[in-house]
């Protein structure tokens, strides 16, 4: 391909609304253009990279025995009602109406569609296992689309769905996908690692996210260098010690704390109650039911864990007025010892189990209670792990200190169980003729997000550094004279033909531009190899080969093709 015959609109400066480096580079290198917030056009070079990432995914999915299909983006509302997700996922669904006023959803995912297909097409254990996948455009009504392709309203996702006869068989399907994901991200040149994850609104019993470490990532990963434990911070637990028991100290005793409404204020003199001897009481409304959450004063509630323990229903913190209505006091004086209506559910964090001689709000503005014993004085409905893990806490598996780092989630594997197959009637007859629901798994890869993650990991001050496997072109030929018939241009054209004949993907920069402009653009786009052909080097009988990551090599013209080919060999 010749530069002047395609469209590569490079920019010196990124538009001001591009926040993170990879987003800026996508725009500056002329890979994408924004149509509206969270909606992008792929330009020729961006599309070439996208197709390569897709092809790697396709090859590894096929190798793992998955079957490619293509499902519609338009999905009838009815199938979403059958699974209950018309309601639970409504926040992210794009809805459209046709001329007959029938409602449709633009596919954010396809559990409903594939399970409906399986309900019709799978009837016997002989047809199982089956794993169907597609690579297609998905839609999410992101309120705040940002970071380019990282969080967009329209994006490309690979989604796969496995159907098995049993839990054990489903686990084997899960493991196959887990291994395939490692290969996919490795081939994309991404440093990646799986972490234990929360199953979220999709539901299911077992899940891992594939993470790419990056300072700009929206996920926080808790990990242990010593034993390899790694989990999304929304899910992570630690081996943090419980609360030391003390002398019970008699019955709860009320004392005045005028104006004290924070853990910190109560820890100062004249009160001097250490944060870890305080019980923090939070009031949430889950749908419309009040729920109290008790957590140690020095801990933070993890709302994802809370959500998982309250059925994934809509929730929000109660307003101060609602706290008064429910408990008789405003935030800062709340507790769970007195005046808690019997119908209010009380969830307590495990770290408070057995804690005594604690201090908490008295449910009377300006008063607290001391000598509170959880076992004796508080009606706890359920004990759960609800706290957020902090860096430095001991690993739950080996006791070594945990670290936290930011990462981009590029893939997710879930074991779904029979949640969808039961609701949509995807069942099979087993060997004895009994009807059983298929056991499912689902597996996603954010294809466009993966593309951007590759840039987030591979760049320097000059631009993008593509791995060979996904580079838009492997070689950029840069003749410094482009007039037809000029010996420099003639040599460039000869190299172009010879390399292309060997299957190398070559872009010929035939623009009549200064060398500096051409070199800057080639580095910005990030071609793995740039070959400069100029009058001076040609006079010496040489061309200059410059790997994007590596030192410049002067090579005799006669050896140029083999010199370039040598650079294209994967290391090792
Ligand atoms: Zn560990």
């Amino acid at each position: 391909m010749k530069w002047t015959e395609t469209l590569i609109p490079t920019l010196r400066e990124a538009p001001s609304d591009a926040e993170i480096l990879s987003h800026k580079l996508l725009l500056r290198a002329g890979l994408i253009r924004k149509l509206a917030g969270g909606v992008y056009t792929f330009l020729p070079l961006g599309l070439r990279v996208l197709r390569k990432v897709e092809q790697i995914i396709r090859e590894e999915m096929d190798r793992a025995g998955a079957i490619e299909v293509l499902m519609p983006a338009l999905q009838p509302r009815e199938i979403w009602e059958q699974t209950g997700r018309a309601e639970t996922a409504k926040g992210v669904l794009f809805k459209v109406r046709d001329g007959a006023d029938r409602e449709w959803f633009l596919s954010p995912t396809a559990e409903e569609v594939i399970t409906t297909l399986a309900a019709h097409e799978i009837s016997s254990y002989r047809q199982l296992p089956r794993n169907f996948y597609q690579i297609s455009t998905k839609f999410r009504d992101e309120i705040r689309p940002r970071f380019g392709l990282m969080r967009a309203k329209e994006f490309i996702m690979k989604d796969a769905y496995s159907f098995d006869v049993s839990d054990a068989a489903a686990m084997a399907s899960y493991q196959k996908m887990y291994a395939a994901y490692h290969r996919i991200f490795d081939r994309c040149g991404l440093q990646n690692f799986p972490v234990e994850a929360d199953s979220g609104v999709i539901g299911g019993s077992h899940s891992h996210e594939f993470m790419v470490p990056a300072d700009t990532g929206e996920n926080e990963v808790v990990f242990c260098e010593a034993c390899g434990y790694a989990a999304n911070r929304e899910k992570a637990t630690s081996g943090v010690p419980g609360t030391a028991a003390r002398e019970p100290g008699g019955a709860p005793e009320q004392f005045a704390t005028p104006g004290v409404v924070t853990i910190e204020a109560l820890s100062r003199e004249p009160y001097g109650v250490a944060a870890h001897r305080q019980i923090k009481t939070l009031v949430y409304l889950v749908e419309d039911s009040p729920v109290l959450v008790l957590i140690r004063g020095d801990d933070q509630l993890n709302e994802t864990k809370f959500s998982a323990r309250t059925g994934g229903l809509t929730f929000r913190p109660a307003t101060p007025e609602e706290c008064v209505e429910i408990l008789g006091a405003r935030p800062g004086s709340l507790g769970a010892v007195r005046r808690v209506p019997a119908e209010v559910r009380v969830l307590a964090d495990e770290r408070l189990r057995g804690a005594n001689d604690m201090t908490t709000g008295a449910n009377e503005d300006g008063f607290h209670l001391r000598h509170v014993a959880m076992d004796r004085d508080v009606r706890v409905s359920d004990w759960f792990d609800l706290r957020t893990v902090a860096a430095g806490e001991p690993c739950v598996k080996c006791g070594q200190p945990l670290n936290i780092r930011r990462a981009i989630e590029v893939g997710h594997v879930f074991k779904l169980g029979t949640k969808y197959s039961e609701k949509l009637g995807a069942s099979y007859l087993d060997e004895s003729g009994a009807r059983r629901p298929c056991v499912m798994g689902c597996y996603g890869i954010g294809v466009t997000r993966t593309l951007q993650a590759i840039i987030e990991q591979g760049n320097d001050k000059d631009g993008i550094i593509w791995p060979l496997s996904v580079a838009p072109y492997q070689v950029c030929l840069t003749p410094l004279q482009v007039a037809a018939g000029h010996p420099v241009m003639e040599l460039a054209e000869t190299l172009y033909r010879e390399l292309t004949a060997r299957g190398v993907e070559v872009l010929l920069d035939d623009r009549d531009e200064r060398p500096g402009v051409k070199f800057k653009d080639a580095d910005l786009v990030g071609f793995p190899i740039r070959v400069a052909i100029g009058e001076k080097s040609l006079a010496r009988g040489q061309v200059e080969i410059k790997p994007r990551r590596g030192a410049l090599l002067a090579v005799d013209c006669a050896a140029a093709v083999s010199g370039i080919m040598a650079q294209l060999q994967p290391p090792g």
Side-chain angles (χ1 to χ4, degrees):
M1 177 58 69
K2 289 181 173 170
W3 196 296
T4 57
E5 290 173 2
T6 181
L7 178 67
I8 311 175
T10 56
L11 302 170
R12 287 289 147 249
E13 300 291 331
S16 58
D17 61 345
E19 296 154 284
I20 61 173
L21 185 62
S22 53
H23 185 196
K24 290 178 182 165
L25 288 172
L26 277 165
L27 294 163
R28 286 189 54 211
L31 303 176
I32 62 168
R33 281 296 179 265
K34 176 170 136 180
L35 175 64
V39 182
Y40 294 89
T41 298
F42 273 82
L43 301 182
L45 292 190
L47 185 60
R48 287 182 71 90
V49 178
L50 179 62
R51 292 287 181 251
K52 290 185 176 189
V53 174
E54 288 177 352
Q55 188 55 26
I56 289 172
I57 294 171
R58 187 170 278 120
E59 285 170 14
E60 293 300 338
M61 294 304 288
D62 291 348
R63 193 212 301 222
I67 308 159
E68 187 168 9
V69 294
L70 182 59
M71 290 177 261
L74 270 183
Q75 303 185 0
R77 182 192 172 91
E78 291 75 18
I79 55 173
W80 284 75
E81 269 169 3
Q82 277 179 269
T83 59
R85 289 208 297 179
E87 193 54 33
T88 55
K90 66 182 173 191
V92 299
L93 286 168
F94 265 107
K95 297 163 191 168
V96 290
R97 283 186 186 278
D98 63 16
D101 210 30
R102 183 177 180 193
E103 195 169 36
W104 303 78
F105 297 154
L106 290 181
S107 173
T109 174
E111 281 83 4
E112 281 78 2
V113 177
I114 197 70
T115 313
T116 300
L117 182 82
H120 288 107
E121 306 304 329
I122 291 175
S123 54
S124 160
Y125 72 93
R126 289 190 191 87
Q127 294 170 277
L128 299 173
R130 280 287 186 273
N131 185 349
F132 300 101
Y133 80 97
Q134 64 172 348
I135 299 175
S136 67
T137 301
K138 305 292 192 301
F139 303 86
R140 265 185 82 100
D141 191 8
E142 290 287 350
I143 300 164
R144 254 196 86 207
R146 58 194 166 136
F147 303 156
L149 307 174
M150 289 291 182
R151 193 163 282 280
K153 283 179 183 279
E154 180 179 328
F155 53 96
I156 295 174
M157 184 167 98
K158 185 285 298 175
D159 43 330
Y161 308 89
S162 62
F163 295 83
D164 278 283
V165 294
S166 66
D167 268 334
M171 212 52 222
S173 294
Y174 183 95
Q175 294 302 345
K176 267 191 194 171
M177 285 295 100
Y178 188 94
Y181 275 34
H182 265 307
R183 284 197 299 271
I184 289 167
F185 297 122
D186 286 350
R187 286 183 61 186
C188 288
L190 282 169
Q191 249 190 71
N192 66 91
F193 59 99
V195 305
E196 290 178 15
D198 178 66
S199 302
V201 74
I202 285 194
S205 50
H206 200 77
S207 83
H208 285 88
E209 287 164 342
F210 280 76
M211 293 290 188
V212 166
D215 293 341
T216 56
E218 292 193 87
N219 291 81
E220 286 184 312
V221 175
V222 174
F223 69 100
C224 171
E225 214 88 68
C227 77
Y229 170 77
N232 193 312
R233 199 169 183 197
E234 294 174 345
K235 156 98 181 184
T237 56
S238 76
V240 83
T243 308
R246 288 182 173 181
E247 285 301 310
E253 174 187 295
Q254 181 162 320
F255 62 108
T257 51
V260 170
V261 294
T262 62
I263 300 287
E264 212 263 315
L266 194 60
S267 68
R268 285 196 304 257
E269 292 307 320
Y271 311 104
V273 183
H276 71 271
R277 302 307 305 189
Q278 300 186 40
I279 303 168
K280 185 155 54 182
T281 306
L282 305 167
V283 185
Y284 280 87
L285 290 172
V286 177
E287 308 257 271
D288 288 319
S289 307
V291 174
L292 298 195
V293 181
L294 309 183
I295 195 152
R296 222 168 77 167
D298 56 339
D299 282 336
Q300 297 300 324
L301 173 67
N302 182 319
E303 288 200 340
T304 304
K305 291 181 182 175
F306 173 74
S307 174
R309 296 307 193 175
T310 48
L313 303 170
T314 322
F315 68 92
R316 63 172 175 85
T319 64
E321 294 69 32
E322 287 164 339
C323 290
V324 172
E325 210 170 289
I326 297 160
L327 294 177
R330 300 174 66 81
S333 301
L334 300 175
V337 178
R338 301 172 170 174
R339 298 175 194 150
V340 181
E343 69 277 12
V344 174
R345 210 173 150 209
V346 181
L347 309 185
D349 179 62
E350 286 288 354
R351 208 178 186 190
L352 286 170
R353 207 187 266 275
N356 62 6
D357 198 23
M358 301 293 284
T359 297
T360 190
N363 285 343
E364 188 175 335
D365 286 344
F367 290 92
H368 278 80
L369 295 171
R370 57 167 75 103
H371 308 316
V372 171
M374 288 297 295
D375 296 347
R376 184 190 62 196
D377 305 319
V378 182
R379 170 184 61 81
V380 174
S381 317
D382 292 290
W383 291 93
F384 293 125
D385 168 26
L386 294 168
R387 63 186 290 279
T388 303
V389 168
E393 289 178 6
C395 170
V396 69
K397 296 208 166 139
C398 76
Q400 291 303 303
L402 291 168
N403 288 312
I404 295 180
R405 68 176 157 189
R406 301 198 74 82
I408 299 163
E409 178 201 339
V410 287
H412 204 156
V413 291
F414 290 99
K415 190 163 162 286
L416 280 176
T418 57
K419 179 179 165 183
Y420 291 90
S421 50
E422 282 177 9
K423 285 178 175 159
L424 292 161
S427 59
Y428 68 95
L429 295 177
D430 70 11
E431 286 171 274
S432 68
R435 184 165 293 282
R436 298 183 183 284
C438 295
V439 183
M440 291 175 61
C442 74
Y443 318 94
I445 290 179
V447 181
T448 36
R449 183 185 286 184
T450 296
L451 184 158
Q452 188 169 342
I454 296 169
I455 301 176
E456 197 62 36
Q457 275 196 351
N459 65 73
D460 64 11
K461 64 176 175 27
D462 297 320
I464 302 170
I465 304 176
W466 292 111
L468 273 172
S469 59
V470 299
Y473 291 91
Q474 296 151 355
V475 174
C476 181
L477 289 177
T478 313
L480 304 181
Q481 301 289 335
V482 296
H486 192 286
V488 163
M489 191 59 177
E490 285 198 334
L491 177 58
E493 283 172 340
T494 303
L495 288 178
Y496 181 85
R497 277 193 304 275
E498 289 185 8
L499 289 166
T500 305
R502 284 169 166 78
V504 179
E505 297 168 328
V506 188
L507 183 71
L508 175 59
D509 186 353
D510 59 339
R511 292 177 300 166
D512 188 11
E513 285 281 3
R514 289 179 289 113
V517 170
K518 290 188 167 196
F519 293 158
K520 268 200 163 66
D521 276 348
D523 285 350
L524 173 61
V525 175
F527 302 106
I529 295 160
R530 184 186 81 204
V531 182
I533 309 149
E535 274 174 314
K536 277 187 207 158
S537 62
L538 198 54
R540 296 194 301 270
Q542 290 184 321
V543 298
E544 290 176 341
I545 300 174
K546 171 71 175 69
R548 183 64 179 79
R549 270 188 213 271
L552 190 141
L553 308 158
V555 176
D556 286 349
C557 291
V561 170
S562 56
I564 294 164
M565 296 302 290
Q567 292 294 324
L568 293 172
Q569 299 311 312

